[in-house]
Amino acid sequence: MKKTPETVILLNFGCRDIQKLARLIRDRHIYTMVMPYTVNPERLLQEAPVGLIFCQDASENPHDAERGAFSGLGLPLFEIRLGDVSALESEALRAVDFCHTQCACSGSWKMENFIEEAIADIRAQVGSEKVVLGLSGGVDSSVVAALLHKAIGEQLVCVFVNHGLLRKNEPEMVQQVFARSFAMNLHYVDASDRFLDKLKGVANPEQKRKIIGKEFIEVFAEAAADIHAPFLGQGTIYPDILESIPLDGNPAAVIKSHHNVGGLPENMKFKLVEPVERLFKDEVRAVGRLLGLPSELLDRHPFPGPSLGVRHLGAIERDTLKILREADAIVTEELLKSGWYHKTWQTFAIFVPVKTVGMKNHQRTYDYVIAIRSINTVDAVTAQVVHLPWELIDSMTARIINEVDGVNRVVYDTTPKPPGTIEWE
Ligand code: XMP
């Protein structure tokens, strides 16, 4: 891949906030890459960096010996040592100043430029061959679809698998955006029955996840086999790569294992196209916006791969799955209407397979429980419960009980992470 000019490398000597630092500097239009201090200096020079920033937390030892190998490379050097909350933003600004004054960076890292370059790279890599892409409706694969489509048009074939565990109107929305608005070559595979049959009677969360994951690979592989594409598009993003590189140890080995396409049959050997692998999530969204993807798709809450499967506790039945889907849609509608959707990281409904006694229209009821969970987080490692306005919880509750048959009680999850995980299964 052609290298963006003006690369500044952040050398990680043990800096917890290194990804945030890299992002903050990129926000000022300077392209940063993060490398562990164990990187071979020759490998580092392959990126043709214009400057090097040593990064560490103030609490880490100074690693003087290891620094020596990089000090002699003839590159402008800078150092950042982050204290408790020692102003990440102001350190980032000092680094930006260093990039301009010592490394002569002009600030050319802009998503408009990235798109142009990525299109040229994709065309050079793919030539006249076909690329198959698994489209999930999530941000990363959607942006990759839009980028590949702009680069190679009809040569891109997207496969969208409906595994029956999607949110309300999701299959329709994906088809509307990609097949109709963008006129992409989209293979829609409705495998709902196949998944739901396999999941029948399975209550164990790990087993459910395994079935969904395995079935997904099989359905995708079957669809992809008919397309005969030598290339597979993937929505790998920069944090996926960074998080697979340990600070110590052999980074190359881990990158390699990340690049093995999880679970596809041995005889399906694809060459990978990963056009957003250098981007952070916000940059991926910015590219998506520039390519015309709707905010409805780009600014959605994160949604787990096993989808409603891990929000419907216990064994999944079609009728109880419908209850969850309807309740979840109401939660989302009310959040959007009240302006709270974009103030929370994830807010969703959970189906609790427990019946409680209640009253409706002067009749005794014995129906299921829906839980509502709303959290905010920076990195999903820890999370805080959002104090949604009580009136909003009231209106969600009233609508769910009135509009969703089979539910007579709604509860609000007040558990932070830890001790609770974000998902219930
Ligand atoms: P937990 O439940 O572990 O979730 O606190 C942390 C974040 O990861 C998402 N999540 C998943 N995403 N496949 C995914 O793609 C999964 O199996 C999965 N499990 C959890 C979860 O929604 C939250 O954002």
Side-chain angles (χ1 to χ4, degrees):
M1 186 187 268
K2 200 170 84 189
K3 292 282 170 275
T4 304
E6 304 182 344
T7 299
V8 173
I9 290 181
L10 306 189
L11 212 52
N12 188 4
F13 285 90
C15 177
R16 228 184 16 221
D17 282 333
I18 195 135
Q19 286 199 33
K20 286 184 201 152
L21 198 58
R23 270 172 37 205
L24 285 168
I25 301 172
R26 284 195 189 188
D27 283 348
R28 301 291 174 130
H29 311 301
I30 292 159
Y31 180 62
T32 51
M33 287 181 78
V34 176
M35 291 190 172
Y37 75 89
T38 46
V39 68
N40 183 324
E42 278 173 24
R43 165 72 191 87
L44 180 148
L45 288 176
Q46 282 171 10
E47 299 298 333
V50 294
L52 208 52
I53 302 180
F54 296 154
C55 304
Q56 69 175 94
D57 289 339
S59 54
E60 290 279 322
N61 79 51
H63 289 280
D64 288 332
E66 289 90 350
R67 286 176 185 223
F70 303 100
S71 303
L73 297 177
L75 293 168
L77 299 176
F78 191 67
E79 179 179 13
I80 284 184
R81 287 170 71 91
L82 289 176
D84 47 317
V85 277
S86 139
L88 188 61
E89 302 246 346
S90 64
E91 288 300 302
L93 288 182
R94 284 180 58 228
V96 169
D97 187 55
F98 158 77
C99 297
H100 285 301
T101 56
Q102 309 287 311
C103 314
C105 289
S106 63
S108 59
W109 177 248
K110 302 209 169 110
M111 289 308 106
E112 291 85 346
N113 302 344
F114 167 83
I115 291 174
E116 259 181 51
E117 221 183 89
I119 287 173
D121 288 343
I122 292 165
R123 287 181 181 155
Q125 184 188 2
V126 168
S128 57
E129 306 270 21
K130 275 191 194 166
V131 179
V132 62
L133 172 74
L135 191 59
S136 70
V139 176
D140 304 337
S141 65
S142 297
V143 173
V144 168
L147 198 52
L148 285 170
H149 185 248
K150 190 151 175 102
I152 56 169
E154 285 285 298
Q155 286 164 253
L156 171 70
V157 186
C158 295
V159 175
F160 176 65
V161 175
N162 179 355
H163 49 34
L165 301 161
L166 296 169
R167 288 163 286 189
K168 192 174 177 181
N169 296 332
E170 204 159 12
E172 293 78 8
M173 194 260 270
V174 169
Q175 290 179 86
Q176 170 62 39
V177 171
F178 294 96
R180 290 194 273 286
S181 302
F182 278 79
M184 283 190 203
N185 203 344
L186 178 72
H187 280 222
Y188 172 68
V189 185
D190 185 352
S192 316
D193 284 336
R194 179 167 164 172
F195 277 81
L196 296 178
D197 289 347
K198 281 267 155 64
L199 285 165
K200 199 162 179 51
V202 180
N204 179 288
E206 280 315 300
Q207 220 182 328
K208 279 160 67 176
R209 274 172 193 269
K210 278 203 189 116
I211 291 172
I212 297 166
K214 178 172 169 285
E215 210 58 26
F216 192 90
I217 294 285
E218 278 182 28
V219 173
F220 179 76
E222 283 167 26
D226 292 340
I227 293 162
H228 300 290
F231 288 94
L232 177 75
Q234 287 219 133
T236 310
I237 67 172
Y238 199 38
D240 299 333
I241 291 180
L242 290 181
E243 281 150 25
S244 66
I245 304 175
L247 194 52
D248 295 298
N250 179 359
V254 188
I255 291 178
K256 190 154 169 284
S257 77
H258 154 80
H259 277 268
N260 288 339
V261 182
L264 280 175
E266 273 295 300
N267 62 353
M268 290 192 88
K269 293 256 180 276
F270 284 110
K271 290 178 264 182
L272 296 184
V273 192
E274 298 178 294
V276 298
E277 66 178 345
R278 290 191 292 163
L279 304 188
F280 285 109
K281 194 85 176 187
D282 291 341
E283 294 172 321
V284 175
R285 286 202 175 90
V287 166
R289 255 182 268 286
L290 286 168
L291 293 173
L293 288 174
S295 160
E296 189 192 358
L297 204 148
L298 292 175
D299 301 314
R300 296 186 102 183
H301 288 174
F303 190 53
S307 309
L308 295 184
V310 290
R311 295 182 179 172
H312 178 302
L313 308 191
I316 298 169
E317 295 293 337
R318 284 171 172 76
D319 55 347
T320 48
L321 183 61
K322 183 163 181 284
I323 288 178
L324 172 61
R325 187 174 280 128
E326 293 299 323
D328 184 68
I330 290 172
V331 168
T332 304
E333 272 172 39
E334 290 297 312
L335 269 185
L336 282 166
K337 211 163 63 183
S338 63
W340 274 85
Y341 187 88
H342 298 296
K343 292 190 224 164
T344 74
W345 169 281
Q346 258 172 304
T347 302
F348 54 92
I350 301 110
F351 173 80
V352 185
V354 165
K355 285 191 168 184
T356 72
V357 174
M359 293 281 294
K360 196 172 184 180
N361 302 330
H362 308 291
Q363 299 277 323
R364 180 184 181 278
T365 58
Y366 186 52
D367 278 333
Y368 289 111
V369 178
I370 285 287
I372 298 173
R373 182 143 175 76
S374 181
I375 57 97
N376 267 331
T377 174
V378 176
D379 49 16
V381 176
T382 60
Q384 301 77 46
V385 173
V386 178
H387 295 201
L388 288 180
W390 207 248
E391 305 76 55
L392 176 56
I393 298 176
D394 270 350
S395 57
M396 288 173 178
T397 304
R399 280 196 59 196
I400 290 170
I401 287 174
N402 286 329
E403 296 175 31
V404 185
D405 279 345
V407 180
N408 66 356
R409 195 174 295 268
V410 175
V411 297
Y412 194 63
D413 184 354
T414 58
T415 322
K417 174 180 178 177
T421 48
I422 295 174
E423 303 295 342
W424 276 33
E425 279 193 346

